Amino acid sequence: MSELMVALVQASEKAANIARSCRQDETLFSLLIEEKKSDKNKKFSADFKTLADVLVQEVIKHDIGKRFPGLENNIFGEETNEFMNGLGERIQVMLCERDADTARLLSKVLDGNMQAAEALASAAHQDVIIPDLQTGSVHIPIHNLGVWVDPIDSTLQYIKGISNSVPEGSIYSRGLQCVTVLIGAYDLQTGEPLMGVINQPFAEMDDSKRWQGRFFWGISAGPLSVNSLSSTPLTRGDSTHPLPTPNPVADPSLGVRGSKLSTVLSTREVKRVKALFQDCCEGGVYYASGAGYKALCVILGLVDVYVFTEDSTYKWDSCGPHALLRSMGGGMADLKDCLRHSPAGGAEERPELQYNTPIAEASGTEKWANRDGLVAYRSKADLEAVLQLLTTVEL
Ligand SMILES: [Mg+2]
């Protein structure tokens, strides 16, 4: 069994617990939704949202570093752990050894709100037990790994907190279901994604109106490919939203217009791309929030592909889902790179997203943008169908 995979899943579960606590604990929830009510506390509540992000990221670093000393130095994400409170003090958010100390530290960021600080610290220190993952025996040298973390993907949906969103074809265009915790481990030398977790903290609401989550993991390292989709049930006792069977793989010989290709797009996708897919995808075009959630829709077989032609996803959004897709024989292609180097017969290996090289001419977080867009797919034939289609528009 891969100890690292277990640690990544455990960290994602803890992150999911914190994300749920902030919505279910009354004290924390009131801070989270303050932003909606008035401008007066706007800065403070915006900070609270970031604090949840930062704390989750630090918990993941702390827990993984404890199990695999040294690896914490190669864990990356969007957030830094430095925080400015209402008094203008700079505070480094981190997980202390004792939860009372973590609470004290957090209370400084929360301008003395000890009740909220204690609730957050308690979620951050709670032990998480997960079932045996049955990964089989995996040996990946730890010293050659980097980890990308997105503590709360689709923060906007997290803050909005819509809990009664109605799915279309089992796909939620918005709502808490679109929120995911994403963790991906990659090879520092080659930039290939090797292990991934997608945790969906708000997958379904139980009878007592409490959110239940679920997680998916995958490993794709050398000849080994294993994931949770083949070994565990997809949902925890949910009979109200049965998962549809995946569409048959598109046959490129039929041409795209004849295929049953289905796709999920971002609402931010450019108009002509939306129109093109609306026109050509007989299998349906869906819209959803969150890069992690859209990739999950492909992984679960709810759609064939997730296409995004813009540059506003980042390595932390794609690394975990990408590893999962690879473990099922799919991947995440570098969209515009594929289109630039279109091979004649489409038989060559297509360029995939990589995780170890920043964009030299960019600065700040933009260094880690997937600037050429992406296609998340389970089958290479579907990828080819998408590329063929996109050669007909100007991107
Ligand atoms: Mg994100």
Side-chain angles (χ1 to χ4, degrees), residues 202-260:
F202 307 95
E204 66 202 38
M205 217 182 235
D206 66 16
D207 297 340
S208 56
K209 297 264 179 238
R210 290 189 78 81
W211 283 102
Q212 301 293 317
R214 55 181 181 170
F215 60 79
F216 305 91
W217 57 265
I219 304 172
S220 170
L224 177 87
S225 287
V226 57
N227 58 57
S228 59
L229 288 111
S230 44
S231 57
T232 55
L234 293 183
T235 54
R236 290 180 195 163
D238 179 10
S239 56
T240 51
H241 302 297
L243 290 158
T245 43
N247 283 328
V249 169
D251 179 352
S253 67
L254 294 175
V256 174
R257 281 170 194 279
S259 82
K260 289 266 183 272

Side-chain angles (χ1 to χ4, degrees), residues 136-375:
S137 157
V138 187
H139 296 288
I140 298 173
I142 298 291
H143 67 270
N144 198 29
L145 289 182
V147 178
W148 282 113
V149 174
D150 192 340
I152 299 174
D153 185 47
S154 199
T155 335
L156 181 65
Q157 294 302 321
Y158 182 58
I159 299 296
K160 281 189 176 168
I162 301 162
S163 59
N164 58 354
S165 177
V166 178
E168 192 196 334
S170 299
I171 294 170
Y172 290 87
S173 63
R174 57 189 194 134
L176 281 166
Q177 288 87 352
C178 300
V179 174
T180 53
V181 177
L182 308 170
I183 308 179
Y186 65 96
D187 186 312
L188 283 170
Q189 303 301 318
T190 65
E192 276 180 339
L194 303 175
M195 287 184 181
V197 190
I198 301 180
N199 197 313
Q200 194 184 17
F202 307 95
E204 66 202 38
M205 217 182 235
D206 66 16
D207 297 340
S208 56
K209 297 264 179 238
R210 290 189 78 81
W211 283 102
Q212 301 293 317
R214 55 181 181 170
F215 60 79
F216 305 91
W217 57 265
I219 304 172
S220 170
L224 177 87
S225 287
V226 57
N227 58 57
S228 59
L229 288 111
S230 44
S231 57
T232 55
L234 293 183
T235 54
R236 290 180 195 163
D238 179 10
S239 56
T240 51
H241 302 297
L243 290 158
T245 43
N247 283 328
V249 169
D251 179 352
S253 67
L254 294 175
V256 174
R257 281 170 194 279
S259 82
K260 289 266 183 272
L261 196 72
S262 59
T263 184
V264 63
L265 302 175
S266 166
T267 44
R268 290 173 298 165
E269 184 55 78
V270 292
K271 269 193 187 149
R272 57 186 178 282
V273 172
K274 283 183 183 171
L276 178 73
F277 280 92
Q278 296 283 11
D279 252 15
C280 300
C281 286
E282 285 182 16
V285 178
Y286 300 88
Y287 293 92
S289 296
Y293 177 69
K294 284 193 276 289
L296 182 60
C297 290
V298 178
I299 289 163
L300 294 177
L302 303 179
V303 286
D304 298 318
V305 289
Y306 155 37
V307 180
F308 190 45
T309 66
E310 297 281 276
D311 60 1
S312 51
T313 69
Y314 296 85
K315 298 305 172 195
W316 48 85
D317 294 315
S318 56
C319 188
H322 191 171
L324 252 152
L325 283 159
R326 268 168 48 106
S327 78
M328 29 197 336
M332 272 205 202
D334 186 310
L335 174 52
K336 288 176 191 166
D337 205 13
C338 286
L339 293 173
R340 277 193 294 268
H341 305 105
S342 211
E348 279 173 48
E349 281 295 303
R350 296 291 196 170
E352 294 266 307
L353 297 180
Q354 293 205 317
Y355 294 90
N356 60 346
T357 317
I359 301 167
E361 63 274 23
S363 62
T365 53
E366 292 309 309
K367 277 189 170 307
W368 298 105
N370 295 317
R371 70 166 165 185
D372 283 338
L374 59 86
V375 183

Side-chain angles (χ1 to χ4, degrees), residues 27-46 48 113 159:
T27 320
L28 297 176
F29 184 65
S30 64
L31 293 176
L32 196 63
I33 59 166
E34 213 133 273
E35 192 170 20
K36 286 208 280 196
K37 286 191 292 193
S38 75
D39 275 352
K40 215 172 81 191
N41 290 309
K42 200 161 184 182
K43 184 181 176 299
F44 181 69
S45 52
F48 179 73
N113 186 338
I159 299 296

